[in-house]
Amino acid sequence: MMKKQKKSIRYLKVKKRPKYPKNFERDYYRVLRAVVRRLKSATNNNIPMLTYSLRQDDDDSTVTDAFVQAILVELLKSMTIEDAISELELILAGVLSVVDANVISAFAEAVSVDVFLNDSALLDTVKAEWKAQQGRLVDSIVNTYIEKLQIIVSNAVQRGTAMSEVKEEIKVLLNTTYKRAKFIARNEVGNLNGIITMRRQVDCGIGVYQWSSSQDERVRPSHAEMDGKYFYWNSDKVGEINGIKVYPSPKYHPCMDYNCRCVALPVIDLEQWNMTTAVPMGRVNVKKSKELS
């Protein structure tokens, strides 16, 4: 009698939810908040000059230019944009460390082995592009504030607005700038987390993931619909794994859409696992309980 051949296990699922780099989102906001605080301080320190100019009924453009230039000069004395960008680069390293820990944990759960992760050229490109983007974002915080401040002051001169009203408008502008800084921090760290997660998983030979939402009232309907389903990282075709449907790559992967808190649970393909990038530090022990089914 012929012996039955053992079923070959190829795809392993991971249930442990990856950690989100929340601490680094707070650190990012702290950096941008410091920039806004310096803008606020520089603005308040030059309010007396603006008050005097408005009383003198000076020319619109003269008052506006003098006020804005005084703020920019004081801002540059108290900080440099390069300092803020340098701090944001440290946040990049922090987010990468969280993603790496998630990937290492996934392999430990599925195949009972620690792995050492090597960087790829594509990952280096991702990091370089993100660093370049941060300079533009910090500049945009300052430039957008200055542009709107110019409009407030120009309108005040033309209309003869009371100084108390001008101060109130500036206060509203500062609050709006703080909110924008917080949104940028959440969006940038979330997006970075999503992009590096994709890059790390793909570099390790992981081509499929399971979408996992936060499963609360804040999840948008379209993402709730994706919860529990399987998707390709890089494919526009429908596929199948062990009888389970795998959907084409969505427009935005987990964390890559604004305010998205969803995560990608990796499906480890034992035939495609890239051991050059994810180097096993011991014996691989496949857990049958992790088989995708």
Side-chain angles (χ1 to χ4, degrees), residues 68-108:
V68 167
Q69 285 305 313
I71 291 171
L72 288 174
V73 168
E74 187 169 332
L75 178 67
L76 291 175
K77 284 182 179 179
S78 64
M79 68 166 288
T80 64
I81 300 300
E82 288 73 19
D83 291 337
I85 295 172
S86 294
E87 288 196 62
L88 294 180
E89 289 183 5
L90 295 176
I91 291 170
L92 166 61
V95 173
L96 178 60
S97 69
V98 172
V99 173
D100 283 359
N102 287 335
V103 173
I104 290 170
S105 176
F107 277 103

Side-chain angles (χ1 to χ4, degrees), residues 101-142:
N102 287 335
V103 173
I104 290 170
S105 176
F107 277 103
E109 179 187 340
V111 295
S112 299
V113 68
D114 289 330
V115 296
F116 176 80
L117 299 176
N118 289 311
D119 284 0
S120 67
L122 287 173
L123 181 60
D124 289 339
T125 299
V126 167
K127 293 190 286 186
E129 290 175 350
W130 193 82
K131 288 179 182 179
Q133 171 70 358
Q134 302 324 296
R136 293 191 289 271
L137 286 172
V138 174
D139 283 339
S140 77
I141 289 284
V142 175

